[in-house]
Amino acid sequence: MRHIRLGPAILLRLETGDEIFSSVTELARAEGIGAASLSGIGAAYGVVLGYYDRRTKEYTRTTVEEEVEIVSLVGNIALKDGQPFPHMHVTISGRDFRTMAGHLFEGRTGGTVEVVITPLAGFVHRRKDDATGLFLLDV
Ligand code: ZN
């Protein structure tokens, strides 16, 4: 994992094999980010996607083992239990150019993953919401 600060933004480059969720979390903690937006592109394998079922309050997960393009990685960073925590969604496509998408639980970097993190002023916490079962932005 490599990164450079460009003005207020941080450009992150993940290297082959780097796990995406934990890498973004690690950088956010190292930089003390309390709120941010992020976007990225690249390629990944072993991608674990989630679909949240609001009735059961549980995620259904599926794993895409083969290497895929990350067409779009979008999300934000807020504080959960006092620590920076990324919430990311991805759209991925494979050799057949069809896309799959969902909540990103994990994935390993293929050739590269490029993420631009834009920290926001201040911080935002996530708090458990009993109605949805989710940790929602406390705004
Ligand atoms: Zn999500």
Side-chain angles (χ1 to χ4, degrees):
M1 170 169 67
R2 303 161 63 106
H3 74 279
I4 185 172
R5 220 175 223 290
L6 297 171
I10 299 166
L11 180 56
L12 171 65
R13 189 189 103 194
L14 301 184
E15 296 171 297
T16 302
D18 286 346
E19 201 286 307
I20 299 166
F21 185 87
S22 58
S23 295
V24 172
T25 301
E26 185 183 322
L27 181 74
R29 291 182 179 184
E31 294 287 325
I33 294 172
S37 66
L38 64 82
S39 65
I41 54 173
Y45 59 92
V47 176
V48 180
L49 297 173
Y51 169 83
Y52 190 69
D53 185 329
R54 201 155 46 84
R55 263 182 327 104
T56 62
K57 297 181 178 174
E58 287 183 0
Y59 280 95
T60 297
R61 297 177 190 226
T62 188
T63 301
V64 180
E65 294 291 353
E66 67 266 28
E67 188 151 335
V68 292
E69 297 283 345
I70 296 176
V71 178
S72 177
L73 169 75
V74 294
N76 59 52
I77 297 169
L79 300 175
K80 184 176 173 187
D81 297 325
Q83 294 289 326
F85 182 85
H87 180 200
M88 299 182 284
H89 286 194
V90 283
T91 304
I92 57 177
S93 74
R95 286 181 194 280
D96 62 1
F97 299 100
R98 294 182 184 277
T99 58
M100 290 180 70
H103 178 97
L104 177 68
F105 279 108
E106 61 180 89
R108 297 254 163 216
T109 302
T112 190
V113 170
E114 302 168 347
V115 183
V116 177
I117 299 172
T118 307
L120 306 172
F123 56 88
V124 177
H125 289 277
R126 287 191 174 277
R127 294 199 199 291
K128 182 76 182 281
D129 174 67
D130 290 334
T132 60
L134 294 166
F135 285 83
L136 302 181
L137 294 172
D138 187 17
V139 294

